[in-house]
Amino acid sequence: MHVDLAADPGERVLTITRLFDAPRATVFDAFVDASQIAKWMGPRGLSMTHYQADVRPGGTWRGCLRTIDGSRELWHGGVYREIVPDERLVFTFAWELEGGALGPETLITITFEDRGRQTLMRFRQGVFDTAANCARHRPGWESEFDQLADYVTRH
């Protein structure tokens, strides 16, 4: 595994801020309710075919994204570190590699700020092993959050 230590740690941290047209509890629940996660999680072109989670500090989560044509499955998972209902989620994230080994682990922190009928979400993932790997994750998360925006405005 190559670790790009020369890169500024800031270049290896992904941050995304989004305003959702839904109350904070609705947006938070979409992240912790497995039946809801399956309806929006995954970038466009991929669907969540399996998701299980023990949503508590120390509890694990694991999911599988499958390409629409079924040609590829991407397993990933982690451990919940902190859960403050409607306010904050902190959990680890790692892709499962061939043979079941885990890829580089990152920490995801998501905060949810009440804006009345809207929610300001701040997403942070890092520190990635390389700046390039960090940059590769942005389009996927942006696409997932587009789908989340569609989902929470309908529910």
Side-chain angles (χ1 to χ4, degrees):
M1 172 177 74
H2 171 72
V3 178
D4 187 2
L5 296 177
D8 176 357
E11 294 175 359
R12 294 184 290 132
V13 174
L14 174 62
T15 58
I16 299 171
T17 302
R18 289 289 288 265
L19 186 65
F20 294 102
D21 287 324
R24 181 168 66 168
T26 301
V27 177
F28 182 87
D29 288 348
F31 276 92
V32 297
D33 179 347
S35 66
Q36 292 186 57
I37 288 169
K39 296 175 182 167
W40 68 268
M41 183 72 78
R44 295 197 194 284
L46 297 170
S47 61
M48 183 66 71
T49 60
H50 171 84
Y51 190 84
Q52 65 185 46
D54 179 8
V55 184
R56 62 176 177 80
T60 61
W61 67 273
R62 186 170 184 246
C64 179
L65 295 170
R66 181 178 295 149
T67 56
I68 298 300
D69 66 6
S71 65
R72 190 169 177 210
E73 288 188 342
L74 303 166
W75 287 88
H76 53 303
V79 176
Y80 288 100
R81 297 271 178 89
E82 183 181 350
I83 300 162
V84 180
D86 300 341
E87 292 180 21
R88 182 176 167 93
L89 281 175
V90 180
F91 54 93
T92 62
F93 179 103
W95 292 104
E96 291 182 20
L97 306 175
E98 208 57 41
L102 294 178
E105 183 178 86
T106 57
L107 186 68
I108 294 177
T109 302
I110 308 170
T111 60
F112 305 87
E113 183 180 316
D114 184 8
R115 295 278 178 102
R117 295 183 182 171
Q118 295 181 316
T119 302
L120 182 66
M121 179 202 72
R122 288 186 177 92
F123 174 94
R124 180 188 189 280
Q125 183 179 12
V127 173
F128 284 90
D129 55 345
T130 68
N133 195 18
C134 179
R136 277 193 295 274
H137 279 77
R138 179 175 294 280
W141 282 115
E142 292 281 6
S143 179
E144 287 188 45
F145 296 149
D146 289 346
Q147 294 190 142
L148 175 59
D150 292 344
Y151 176 77
V152 296
T153 56
R154 291 191 316 266
H155 294 88

